[in-house]
Every structure is written in structure tokens, then in C-alpha cells.
Amino acid sequence: MPFSRSSDLPAGDRIAPLQAADLAAVHRLECASQQSPWSLQHFADELTNPVATVDLYWRGCELAGFLCCWLIAGELQVQNLVTSPTLRRSGIAARLMAHALDRAGRAGELTVSWLEVRISNQPAIALYQRFGYSASGVRKAYYADGEDALIMIYHADTGTDAGVTQE
């Protein structure tokens, strides 16, 4: 798969799995970044969810972003992707996506991936399109504030992931 590996990260950056000691920092970043943030308990529950992986992106000692996904029967479900508001558009979300897709692909388990994204979040939609995701439907009033969600799907067997570039 052509997605970048963790070894392709800038010097001082790293991607590591969520640990219990990281929960407070992850929740703070979630609250600073999302209109309807997950609770601290929600993140704690992901630690014990056997299909969940939460990858943390560290820039030095600073938590710069995270991605929570579920891998079930070849389906990668992106649950939550956050980049620190001060570090947006610096490639962190793209590196997290590449990491998750690459890991699922290397495990031979990835057939399809899907996610929901706020219909107004054009930067996120553009990011997902770079990875070969395409719109497949709308969930009306999906978010707590009534905004619709765009459902986006990526099919691993189409080869649409070729040419993904990092910012």
C-alpha cells in the first residue's frame, strides 16, 4: 500500500497507542476541537473495546492529534479524528489516516473503510477524498446541533489510494 509509514514522520513526531495515562490529555484535546465532544468515559471505554484502536500523534511532548477507529471483519470504521486547533493543516490528520489505513492493509484485513463527517467540514472532506474516499449518502440531523453528516466510503480493492500525498 502506498500510505506513509510511521517511519516517514518528521523528526520528533511519533504515533503511539492510547494508554490510560493519556486519557485526560486526549479528552482536553477533544473538548478544544469538537462541537459535541466525547466524554472522558467514552475514551476510557475505547481502551477496553476489542475492535478499537486509538492512535495518538505526538509532536515532541505535545499531543497534536488522535484517530479512533474500529476494525471489524475487514471494515475500518473511522470514529473520531482530531487535530489540535493550533496545528491544523500541518499534515497530522493525513499522517494518522495513512497510519490507520496502512496498518489495516498490512494486516490483510482492509476491504472497505467508512466514516461520517460534518457536511460543512470541507477541509476534512477534502482530506478524505485525497485518500480515495467518496460520498455515498447523508445522515440527516446526525449531529447534536442538527447538522447533517456526509457518509464517505473507501474501497481498498479499487486502488484509489494511489498518489496520496502528505502536506
Side-chain angles (χ1 to χ4, degrees), residues 4-140:
S4 68
R5 304 239 188 313
S6 296
S7 60
D8 296 334
L9 299 177
D13 290 9
R14 65 186 170 91
I15 296 175
L18 174 66
Q19 304 294 318
D22 303 317
L23 285 169
V26 168
H27 189 246
R28 276 193 304 276
L29 182 55
E30 171 79 354
C31 290
S33 303
Q34 303 283 25
Q35 293 176 18
S36 300
W38 285 6
S39 69
L40 182 62
Q41 185 59 52
H42 192 138
F43 287 105
D45 291 344
E46 293 303 298
L47 276 173
T48 60
N49 180 343
V51 301
T53 302
V54 182
D55 293 312
L56 306 184
Y57 192 104
W58 296 95
R59 177 157 283 166
C61 294
E62 178 183 2
L63 179 60
F66 64 83
L67 185 146
C68 176
C69 59
W70 296 353
L71 184 59
I72 304 170
E75 238 181 63
L76 185 72
Q77 301 172 13
V78 177
Q79 300 293 314
N80 196 350
L81 175 59
V82 167
T83 301
S84 172
T86 61
L87 296 172
R88 290 188 179 145
R89 310 226 22 111
S90 65
I92 291 167
R95 289 183 187 99
L96 283 164
M97 284 294 298
H99 180 80
L101 289 165
D102 181 61
R103 180 182 51 237
R106 279 186 286 121
E109 298 180 24
L110 182 64
T111 58
V112 66
S113 178
W114 63 271
L115 55 88
E116 293 99 358
V117 59
R118 285 181 176 273
I119 210 140
S120 65
N121 192 344
Q122 290 304 310
I125 292 168
L127 169 73
Y128 301 135
Q129 287 172 333
R130 282 179 40 212
F131 280 88
Y133 285 80
S134 58
S136 70
V138 173
R139 294 194 199 280
K140 294 288 186 189

